[in-house]
Amino acid sequence: EVQLVESGGGLVQPGGSLRLSCAASGFTFSSYSMNWVRQAPGKGLEWVSYISSSSSAIYYADSVKGRFTISRDNAKNSLYLQMNSLRDEDTAVYYCARFFPGMDVWGQGTTVTVSS
Amino acid sequence: QSALTQPASVSGSPGQSITISCTGASSDVGGYNYVSWYQQHPGKAPKLMIYDVSNRPSGVSNRFSGSKSGNTASLTISGLQAEDEAGYYCSSYTSRSTVVFGGGTKLTVL
């Protein structure tokens, strides 16, 4: 079964850091580009970051550029999002999504809450 | 990057057809045939319904169709069913090599 499972979310204070992980299974992870997408409580979807299959191309939304870092380990079938200098407005459910084109496989999401 | 513009809500009766619009600019929707549509039920992850403007992934009902004219993309759902009631989001590739989503549309099946 094709599956993505996120982990690493939690409660963190403003200015703090968190590292999200996304474990892939059921497909050849190294052949696909990946994305992180987030959704604040009661709000719409917001694209966060993209990484190509070989990590040669990486892009970020302006709202997280310079604070978040996307990476992957194809040997471990895993995608990561290092989040630094977290702000209240980063509070959201964070999804990892496979790029097909179109994001055709999504994880269940992991919740990040930034609050003092 | 501003979000693409979608109507906040649309509604229709079972069996009817509805269309959701998604308006962007020449730097995103109008400039590329990389528009996707997602369905999201409350508390669930989004599901890809349309990619590259008008293509349906395997397993998606042919009641769902997509199109584009200029800077506006559209999702049409024909033969509305109760299970179609959900949030719908469009997205587009942009000239900055980023992705932008629409604000989302809540579909109510009356």
Side-chain angles (χ1 to χ4, degrees):
Chain A
E1 178 190 6
V2 173
Q3 195 172 13
L4 296 171
V5 178
E6 302 94 337
S7 60
L11 174 64
V12 61
Q13 292 188 338
S17 298
L18 215 52
R19 189 195 196 206
L20 306 184
S21 298
C22 170
S25 60
F27 66 98
T28 305
F29 179 71
S30 60
S31 296
Y32 290 86
S33 300
M34 298 293 295
N35 292 271
W36 286 99
V37 176
R38 68 184 181 183
Q39 187 169 35
K43 301 298 184 181
L45 301 173
E46 180 187 14
W47 173 80
V48 173
S49 185
Y50 162 96
I51 186 168
S52 64
S53 58
S54 63
S55 303
S56 60
I58 287 175
Y59 303 102
Y60 298 98
D62 288 344
S63 58
V64 306
K65 196 176 297 183
R67 300 187 300 121
F68 289 12
T69 301
I70 191 172
S71 63
R72 64 190 296 161
D73 185 336
N74 287 341
K76 294 184 177 179
N77 292 331
S78 293
L79 174 73
Y80 306 102
L81 187 68
Q82 177 67 42
M83 304 186 296
N84 299 329
S85 303
L86 282 162
R87 306 167 179 167
D88 290 351
E89 55 265 35
D90 295 320
T91 293
V93 174
Y94 284 74
Y95 297 99
C96 60
R98 186 178 81 170
F99 185 71
F100 162 61
M103 299 178 209
D104 69 331
V105 179
W106 295 65
Q108 84 290 348
T110 187
T111 300
V112 172
T113 303
V114 184
S115 175
S116 54
Chain B
Q1 181 75 48
S2 300
L4 305 175
T5 300
Q6 297 181 232
S9 63
V10 298
S11 62
S13 300
Q16 289 186 332
S17 295
I18 63 95
T19 296
I20 300 172
S21 61
C22 170
T23 302
S26 58
S27 57
D28 40 63
V29 174
Y32 307 93
N33 288 324
Y34 297 140
V35 175
S36 297
W37 289 90
Y38 301 89
Q39 175 191 67
Q40 187 180 35
H41 288 104
K44 301 294 187 181
K47 175 186 177 183
L48 178 66
M49 305 304 285
I50 296 288
Y51 67 95
D52 292 355
V53 176
S54 60
N55 294 292
R56 273 188 315 275
S58 174
V60 172
S61 170
N62 59 10
R63 297 186 299 105
F64 292 83
S65 62
S67 63
K68 191 185 85 167
S69 177
N71 295 339
T72 299
S74 299
L75 173 72
T76 297
I77 309 174
S78 59
L80 267 180
Q81 299 180 0
E83 58 262 36
D84 298 333
E85 184 162 298
Y88 290 85
Y89 295 88
C90 62
S91 75
S92 175
Y93 177 78
T94 82
S95 59
R96 297 174 63 204
S97 297
T98 61
V99 173
V100 61
F101 280 95
T105 298
K106 178 177 171 52
L107 169 62
T108 301
V109 180
L110 302 172

